[in-house]
Amino acid sequence: MAHHQLELIFAVLFATILAQPLGRRLGQAPAVLMTAFGVVLALIPQVPEIHIDPKLILPLVLPPLLYAAARRTSWRSFAENWGAITMRAVVLVIVTTAAVAWAFHLWYPAVPISAAIALGALVAPPDPVAVSALAGKLGLPRRLVAVLEGEGLFNDVTAIVLYTAAVTAVTTGKFSAWGAFEEFLISALVGVLVGLVLGWAGNKLMVWIDDAPCRVALGLLLPFAAYGVSEARGGSAVLAVLVCSLYLIDAATDFSDSDYRLIGDSFWEITEMLVTGFAFGLIGLELSTVLHDAGPDWPKFIGGAAVVIAVVVGLRLIWLLGTTAVFQGWWRTRDKDEPYTWRETIVTWWAGMRGVATVALALAIPFTTDDGKPFPGRTEILFTAFAVVLFTLLLQGPTLPAVVRATGVHADTGTERAMERQLWTRVLQAELARLKEISQDEQLPDEVYDRLRTNFERRLAQADPEAADDNARMNTDRTLAFTKKMRGITNDVLEAGRAEALAARREPGIPPDVVDRVMRRLDLRGN
């Protein structure tokens, strides 16, 4: 049986690779294709059920995916959108949990309200992995993507605390509202502290290691460590991973190691692709477990599932329209060029996919209570949770690109390109300023200085010709034979340009991924 499980895992990973080019040809996100692939496998009787302890799904999948998602953002992105993120990651999760619990309890009166709250908590939060996999590649406005990813990254803290309190109330028969609130505060505080401590310690260790592959390997292990340490101490494992990851990524801007960035970019691109594909394939595969648990009478659960889906999807729209109407004036004051519009509200609504976290929490519901009785409504909860996930992934996911096109929501690529060109100008100016300083200190002959200056301008033209047009007209046919001393000067000047670009990542107004694109080409230019 073990070798069949291994074969199934390899099949999912192989399908993940094929889903990338297939998704581009079909205009669909690979995550959607992998979910559909998993569902197809689950419906084939000859395919064995996959056996993974539900308690291991989140610890295995979330740390690398959260780290990969954190690489595309920064503390500043969260700070700029903290209001919208808080309203959705905390308040909306609580409201959705309560509404789902109420509707589910009305449909299944025999299911106690505490068990219904557990269902509400596990279906309330949109999944950060799903959001990054589906919404992050549609050319949406940067602020919109930042809010969607911020919501997905922080809402699990609220949902998991509510879920844990509800499950505990069912299994032990004891519940305390104040205790749940206290647990939320402690969980968040411990998660932040663990993330900061491991982030700080990991950064110090990375500086000491001074070896690119080892630094990348440490960056892979630390998110897992943050998850495990925080969970063991009653903290929010998700928040610990997020804080640790953001700390490490921000601290890494001080590294003058282009090999680390180039190796890290390639490594995390591959890791994110494989783990994301496996996670969504697993969602589809677990359908067989749900159907087996529900038995031949599973169609009788469709009505309750439809009601919960309507509540989850409908309430999100109502909430977003309401908060947009209330806070639109404030958003316009903060961002006059890109006010939050009803069109963006529609896209944000339809982008609320559920995914890995919902599946893992649903499967982790215990079979019995502490007194040995069956967990009330477990089959109904499991079936409903999967119905919500499959609806949002296999209906909302494939149609999200059409919604984006219909609403006309898209990023201002002209503005972004202008910002990128301005950053290239800053980089070149920093390099030439450093070259002038070296030329004066070393008393370089004018002809050597001129040839070096021309060479740096030519290098920038190769990295970004459009940006170079605004800075200099150069002769690309000229060549320069560098001596050992000249190579040292070249590296010193290039580091000045890199330092300027990295400093821009911490400044307001410049998106982190714009800086990262410039940094990647700078690193490639210097190698």
Side-chain angles (χ1 to χ4, degrees):
M1 181 61 69
H3 72 277
H4 290 307
Q5 295 287 309
L6 191 59
E7 290 174 356
L8 188 57
I9 291 174
F10 276 118
V12 172
L13 293 176
F14 183 70
T16 297
I17 298 173
L18 298 182
Q20 309 306 310
L22 184 60
R24 287 191 293 270
R25 287 176 172 81
L26 297 177
Q28 292 294 333
V32 172
L33 299 182
M34 288 306 302
T35 304
F37 176 71
V39 169
V40 171
L41 289 183
L43 297 177
I44 299 176
Q46 291 77 14
V47 175
E49 291 186 15
I50 191 165
H51 297 289
I52 297 179
D53 188 340
K55 295 181 179 179
L56 294 179
I57 295 177
L58 290 182
L60 289 176
V61 170
L62 280 189
L65 293 182
L66 290 176
Y67 185 89
R71 285 170 57 86
R72 295 188 291 270
T73 186
S74 68
W75 290 112
R76 179 176 51 76
S77 297
F78 292 126
E80 290 176 347
N81 300 285
W82 67 268
I85 291 174
T86 302
M87 290 295 291
R88 298 175 194 173
V90 179
V91 184
L92 179 56
V93 168
I94 295 174
V95 172
T96 303
T97 299
V100 168
W102 174 75
F104 192 74
H105 180 65
L106 286 181
W107 191 269
Y108 297 108
V111 177
I113 192 65
S114 53
I117 291 175
L119 170 66
L122 63 88
V123 300
D127 190 81
V129 182
V131 170
S132 297
L134 300 179
K137 301 177 182 179
L138 295 174
L140 300 177
R142 194 169 310 281
R143 183 198 62 259
L144 189 62
V145 175
V147 173
L148 282 170
E149 291 186 337
E151 176 191 5
L153 289 170
F154 282 102
N155 58 19
D156 283 343
V157 180
T158 309
I160 290 175
V161 169
L162 293 173
Y163 167 85
T164 302
V167 171
T168 301
V170 176
T171 55
T172 65
K174 299 177 182 179
F175 175 75
S176 168
W178 171 251
F181 179 72
E182 184 179 21
E183 182 181 353
F184 175 80
L185 294 180
I186 294 174
S187 176
L189 180 61
V190 172
V192 170
L193 289 177
V194 170
L196 288 175
V197 170
L198 286 181
W200 176 84
N203 178 59
K204 295 297 182 184
L205 190 55
M206 282 188 177
V207 173
W208 178 77
I209 289 176
D210 194 24
D211 179 75
C214 291
R215 282 177 172 175
V216 174
L218 184 61
L220 173 64
L221 295 180
L222 282 172
F224 287 102
Y227 193 103
V229 171
S230 181
E231 188 174 46
R233 283 155 180 77
S236 168
V238 173
L239 192 56
V241 174
L242 180 60
V243 171
C244 178
S245 300
L246 288 172
Y247 190 105
L248 289 173
I249 292 162
D250 185 68
T253 58
D254 294 329
F255 296 164
S256 59
D257 186 351
S258 59
D259 287 342
Y260 167 71
R261 287 187 291 272
L262 293 173
I263 293 173
D265 287 346
S266 299
F267 172 82
W268 281 106
E269 184 177 355
I270 296 171
T271 299
E272 184 178 17
M273 176 188 69
L274 292 176
V275 178
T276 300
F278 176 76
F280 284 94
L282 180 63
I283 290 174
L285 282 170
E286 290 291 358
L287 177 62
S288 61
T289 301
V290 176
L291 295 177
H292 180 269
D293 188 69
D297 295 331
W298 64 265
K300 69 181 182 181
F301 301 130
I302 293 178
V307 170
V308 170
I309 291 172
V311 171
V312 169
V313 177
L315 182 60
R316 180 175 176 83
L317 177 61
I318 295 171
W319 180 270
L320 292 175
L321 289 174
T323 53
T324 299
V326 172
F327 294 104
Q328 190 175 49
W330 181 55
W331 282 325
R332 285 182 181 274
T333 302
R334 297 179 65 226
D335 194 346
K336 296 180 181 180
D337 295 329
E338 283 191 279
Y340 206 88
T341 66
W342 69 267
R343 298 176 185 273
E344 293 185 4
T345 300
I346 296 298
V347 172
T348 304
W349 162 57
W350 205 242
M353 282 76 67
R354 275 60 176 177
V356 180
T358 297
V359 170
L361 293 176
L363 292 172
I365 291 178
F367 287 93
T368 61
T369 61
D370 288 353
D371 57 7
K373 296 180 180 179
F375 191 98
R378 186 182 187 279
T379 300
E380 292 89 339
I381 292 173
L382 195 61
F383 184 91
T384 303
F386 265 79
V388 172
V389 171
L390 294 181
F391 177 88
T392 57
L393 285 180
L394 297 183
L395 180 63
Q396 291 181 233
T399 56
L400 182 60
V403 172
V404 172
R405 290 192 298 269
T407 55
V409 175
H410 57 81
D412 187 350
T413 55
T415 300
E416 290 188 9
R417 179 59 183 146
M419 295 171 65
E420 187 172 349
R421 292 176 63 185
Q422 290 173 5
L423 184 55
W424 276 115
T425 300
R426 288 178 56 179
V427 168
L428 181 60
Q429 289 174 346
E431 291 179 349
L432 296 182
R434 179 57 181 155
L435 176 61
K436 190 170 185 178
E437 293 175 1
I438 295 175
S439 176
Q440 293 172 349
D441 294 340
E442 300 286 343
Q443 297 182 343
L444 296 178
D446 290 343
E447 62 272 15
V448 175
Y449 169 77
D450 291 339
R451 295 175 72 183
L452 282 172
R453 179 185 177 98
T454 300
N455 187 65
F456 282 112
E457 292 174 339
R458 179 176 58 82
R459 282 171 172 263
L460 184 135
Q462 293 173 344
D464 194 325
E466 186 179 347
D469 290 342
D470 295 334
N471 298 291
R473 298 291 181 182
M474 58 203 70
N475 183 3
T476 57
D477 295 333
R478 297 179 60 184
T479 58
L480 181 63
F482 286 99
T483 63
K484 184 176 181 179
K485 183 176 182 179
M486 294 301 101
R487 290 182 183 276
I489 294 173
T490 300
N491 291 332
D492 199 349
V493 172
L494 288 174
E495 284 305 321
R498 292 189 182 104
E500 184 66 17
L502 290 172
R505 203 179 197 277
R506 295 173 176 171
E507 298 175 4
I510 300 181
D513 56 341
V514 169
V515 180
D516 293 342
R517 286 200 301 268
V518 171
M519 276 304 307
R520 179 168 179 80
R521 276 180 275 177
L522 278 172
D523 290 337
L524 290 171
R525 188 185 69 172
N527 283 276

